[in-house]
């Protein structure tokens, strides 16, 4: 995606953005009641334009402050629980949860609405007709708060549960893989070996590659009359001076390329999920590793991670076979996602951590055997290699012969 869109997506996920937007809308709604006053019938203003609205607003203001404080405390507790019981990387799924952010933003917006409305009432900002509009707006606000509160209570009951977080991480991994399948080779063509000739563009900063803007690289390649070979992938940790791309057949000077090309790469201090499916898989593996640690000893969660990894790989293979590669940027060359590395860093890693637990080892062998049986060629060979490695680890890690035989039976399918 383009760099500006990437930054916009990242910025919009911050809690303060949604809370500020809801708050501004609520303040505008409170002040705009007077604008619609001329359209209020006299009979309706005589019935609803009295002092009742002030009592409702006062009660709503006091309750919304308490509810907002409680909701924020509950989110912090869920964040802490997710960090301690699973992995700190999984905690971001609590703070970035859309339903949680909408609930907090609604409560903050309702509080600001009532405060501004009460101040305006004290200043005699509304006439009888304006009070009528405010009364109706307050009723709508009460309904919105009630519905949001019910949904928030249901969300809170499962916010920090292992199953909920695993589902969220799995969905993010699927989305990232689907995005890579839809825009294979970064929208260009496949890159084999890096060309010996060409202008090498190096990084001017240090950090993780969070986003690559292929449209900007395409425009640069068209302007200088060359072809760009992308050497850094999203998720790579790049240091100053490390190669980012190779520009082949360009007529421009080296300085022109080195000054403009790095702007197509966005660096951050931590990895992101948008173009980096390996990061989402890493979070899944970390959850399994924490579950299998002696302090937690929860093989059931590790088995759920094996199931999640299998579904992610299965969905990726289905997308790979269903989507034909398109070449939107004819001057770009990039590598595709390495399927062997994906299996190694998902099921292979979980099998490594679970080599001493017979239940996890059996489930990992079952998943690998099923994956290998439905895939031939190079990818199937990679899966069978990881299954053999996992079996060797299990035979070395398990002390009881009957347990080792169970793993062997699962490996045989």
């Amino acid at each position: 995606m383009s760099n500006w869109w990437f930054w916009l997506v990242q910025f919009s996920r911050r809690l303060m953005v949604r809370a500020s937007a809801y708050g501004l809308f609520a303040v505008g709604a409170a002040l705009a009641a007077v604008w619609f006053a001329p359209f209020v019938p006299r009979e309706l203003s005589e019935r609803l334009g009295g002092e009742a609205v002030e009592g409702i607003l006062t009660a709503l203001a006091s309750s919304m402050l308490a509810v907002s404080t409680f909701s924020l405390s509950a989110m912090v507790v869920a964040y802490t629980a997710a960090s301690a019981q699973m992995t700190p990387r999984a905690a971001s799924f609590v703070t970035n949860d859309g339903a949680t952010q909408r609930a907090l933003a609604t409560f903050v917006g309702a509080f600001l609405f009532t405060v501004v409305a009460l101040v305006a009432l004290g200043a005699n900002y509304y006439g009888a007709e304006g009070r009528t509009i405010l009364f109706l707006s307050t009723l709508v606000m009460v309904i919105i708060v009630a519905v949001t509160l019910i949904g928030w209570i249901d969300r809170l009951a499962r916010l920090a549960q292992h199953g909920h977080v695993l589902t969220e991480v799995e969905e993010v991994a699927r989305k990232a893989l689907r995005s890579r399948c839809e825009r294979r080779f970064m929208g260009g063509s496949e890159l084999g070996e890096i060309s010996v000739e060409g202008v090498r563009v190096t990084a001017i900063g240090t950090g993780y590659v969070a986003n690559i803007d292929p449209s900007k690289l395409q425009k640069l390649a068209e302007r200088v009359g060359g072809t760009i070979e992308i050497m850094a992938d999203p998720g790579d940790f790049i240091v100053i001076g490390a190669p980012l791309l190779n520009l082949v057949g360009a007529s421009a000077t080296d300085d022109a390329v080195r000054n403009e090309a790095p702007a197509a790469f966005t660096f951050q201090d931590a990895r992101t999920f948008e173009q980096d499916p390996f990061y989402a898989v890493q979070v899944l593996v970390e959850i399994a590793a924490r579950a299998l640690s002696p302090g937690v000893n929860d093989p059931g969660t590790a088995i759920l991670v094996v199931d999640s990894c299998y579904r992610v790989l299965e969905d990726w293979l289905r997308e790979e076979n269903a989507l034909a590669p398109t070449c939107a940027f004819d001057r770009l060359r990039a590598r595709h996602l390495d399927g062997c590395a994906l299996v190694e860093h998902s099921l292979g890693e979980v099998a490594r951590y679970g080599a001493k637990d017979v239940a996890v080892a059996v489930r990992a062998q079952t998943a690998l055997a099923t994956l290998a049986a439905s895939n031939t060629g190079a990818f199937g060979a990679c899966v069978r290699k990881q299954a053999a490695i996992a079996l060797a680890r299990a035979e070395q890690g398990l002390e009881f012969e009957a347990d080792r035989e169970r793993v062997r039976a699962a490996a045989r399918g």
Side-chain angles (χ1 to χ4, degrees), residues 26 46 74 85 101 123 161 171-172 180 247 277 291 295 297 303 307 316 340 411:
E46 291 175 354
Q85 297 176 12
Q101 290 193 357
Q161 290 181 354
E171 182 57 34
V172 166
R180 291 290 291 268
L247 183 59
N297 192 22
I303 291 174
D307 298 339
W316 170 67
C340 293

Side-chain angles (χ1 to χ4, degrees), residues 130-248:
R131 283 175 174 267
T132 302
I133 296 295
L134 184 62
F135 182 86
L136 297 174
S137 301
T138 304
L139 291 181
V140 173
M141 184 64 68
V142 169
I143 295 173
I144 293 174
V145 168
V147 173
T148 303
L149 185 59
I150 293 173
W152 165 239
I153 292 173
D154 177 71
R155 191 72 166 187
L156 186 61
R158 49 193 172 88
L159 186 59
Q161 290 181 354
H162 285 64
H164 174 73
V165 176
L166 278 174
T167 301
E168 294 291 321
V169 180
E170 180 183 333
E171 182 57 34
V172 166
R174 288 183 175 185
K175 185 177 180 181
L177 286 168
R178 192 175 302 115
S179 176
R180 291 290 291 268
C181 289
E182 290 174 350
R183 181 156 287 188
R184 216 167 295 181
F185 317 123
M186 290 292 169
S189 56
E190 186 175 7
L191 172 63
E193 296 294 329
I194 302 295
S195 302
V196 177
E197 70 279 1
V199 178
R200 297 291 178 96
V201 177
T202 58
I204 58 177
T206 298
Y208 290 97
V209 179
N211 185 70
I212 300 176
D213 188 346
S215 60
K216 185 173 293 187
L217 292 176
Q218 172 75 10
K219 293 177 182 177
L220 174 62
E222 289 176 348
R223 193 173 73 250
V224 299
T227 301
I228 289 180
E229 299 174 342
I230 302 176
M231 303 172 64
D233 294 323
D236 290 348
F237 184 76
I238 302 296
V239 298
I240 296 177
L244 293 176
L245 55 87
N246 186 42
L247 183 59
V248 182

Side-chain angles (χ1 to χ4, degrees), residues 234-278:
D236 290 348
F237 184 76
I238 302 296
V239 298
I240 296 177
L244 293 176
L245 55 87
N246 186 42
L247 183 59
V248 182
S251 58
T253 62
D254 293 358
D255 291 339
V257 176
R258 291 193 179 97
N259 292 335
E260 297 182 39
F265 293 78
T266 301
F267 293 91
Q268 288 191 347
D269 295 334
R271 296 170 74 176
T272 57
F273 296 105
E274 278 70 25
Q275 293 186 0
D276 186 9
F278 281 98

